Amino acid sequence: MTCEEVRLSLGAHALGALEPDEAVEVDNHLAECDACLEEFTGLAILPPMLAKVSEKDIALVAEPPRQVLERLLTTTARRKQRGRLLLGLAASVAVLAVGGTVWGSLATGGGGGTSAAREQAAPAAATAAPSTLGYGAAESNEDSAKATERSAKEAASPEVGVMMAPMRFEGSSGDVRAEATAVEEDGGTKLTVTVSGVPRSTSCQLIVVDHEGHEDFTAVWVLDPEYPAKASFDRVTSTPLGQIATLKLVDADRKVLAELKPA
């Protein structure tokens, strides 16, 4: 037997309602399959809870209402462990109630129409238990909540594939003036920096600071003595364009020469 076939029979097996040969097959499977054995262990609480049921009621549901139980267990098997346990208990109680009334009425009214009554009672009991426990409503509410949360996250996130417009940063301190243009590119941001007023041969470095205060140090750039007083250089940072708060132009001693803020 496959796991799916065994799980459809676990509830009936826990109640002792399986045929002997089928019970042996289920036991053989449980001896080798830990997952099915764990599920069967959870259903093992059903017999003690039904211990107070009279022998007359048990006899009424043993044959042929077993088909009703199997219909309910088929629905149960499609739900999670928690759903199976609760629905299995509700199904057992519903079967006993149906068995005590429907089959008693059939016994009084004669054998004619027994097959038709059994077919009508089975779907009714199968659909009543899930409705009573409210599984459909619970799952619907859970799906609705997840959909609402997902929509909120999508609304808060930038649209995929939409590039941000370039940003300009500028700042000055004393004779030093710097400005930068930041352009979004794959994997980060490209920065084109123009500086003036920095002594020649000075080692410059650009520090990218995001909105959470994290710093990304770009490569060092040396102002060559032959360069003009105003010069430009390009740098790349892994910080996304939309997360850049400020840029810091520092020298080799990490002294801030100029702090650039969005223009």
Side-chain angles (χ1 to χ4, degrees), residues 3-11 39 43 68-88 123 126-127 130 135-136 139 142:
C3 288
E4 182 65 21
E5 292 172 337
V6 169
R7 287 174 180 173
L8 293 179
S9 303
L10 289 181
E39 185 167 341
L43 292 173
V68 179
L69 178 61
E70 290 176 349
R71 285 176 181 265
L72 292 173
L73 291 174
T74 298
T75 302
T76 302
R78 297 192 183 100
R79 302 187 182 277
K80 297 180 181 179
Q81 180 75 20
R82 178 178 59 84
R84 287 197 189 91
L85 182 59
L86 294 177
L87 187 55
T127 55
Y135 284 112
E139 291 178 353
E142 182 179 359

Side-chain angles (χ1 to χ4, degrees), residues 140-152:
S140 177
N141 291 337
E142 182 179 359
D143 292 341
S144 177
K146 289 182 179 179
T148 302
E149 180 180 359
R150 182 168 58 253
S151 299

Side-chain angles (χ1 to χ4, degrees), residues 3 9 14-15 25 35 96 103 108 121 126 130 187 194 229 231 246 248 263:
C3 288
S9 303
L15 297 173
E25 292 185 23
L96 290 175
W103 291 102
T108 303
T194 302
T246 61
K248 293 181 181 180

Side-chain angles (χ1 to χ4, degrees), residues 75-202:
T75 302
T76 302
R78 297 192 183 100
R79 302 187 182 277
K80 297 180 181 179
Q81 180 75 20
R82 178 178 59 84
R84 287 197 189 91
L85 182 59
L86 294 177
L87 187 55
L89 177 59
S92 301
V93 176
V95 168
L96 290 175
V98 173
T101 55
V102 174
W103 291 102
S105 299
L106 290 175
T108 303
T114 300
S115 177
R118 180 168 63 249
E119 291 299 323
Q120 292 177 359
T127 55
S131 176
T132 301
L133 294 175
Y135 284 112
E139 291 178 353
S140 177
N141 291 337
E142 182 179 359
D143 292 341
S144 177
K146 289 182 179 179
T148 302
E149 180 180 359
R150 182 168 58 253
S151 299
K153 290 182 178 180
E154 292 175 353
S157 302
E159 185 177 353
V160 177
V162 177
M163 301 291 288
M164 291 188 61
M167 294 180 61
R168 290 184 63 254
F169 296 82
E170 59 182 31
S172 61
S173 178
D175 296 333
V176 178
R177 178 174 177 80
E179 56 185 31
T181 300
V183 180
E184 184 179 9
E185 65 176 23
D186 292 340
T189 305
K190 179 181 179 182
L191 300 163
T192 299
V193 186
T194 302
V195 299
S196 62
V198 178
R200 298 188 180 188
S201 300
T202 300

Side-chain angles (χ1 to χ4, degrees), residues 224-236:
D224 193 279
E226 296 181 0
Y227 283 1
K230 185 175 183 179
S232 299
F233 61 96
D234 294 332
R235 287 293 179 267
V236 176

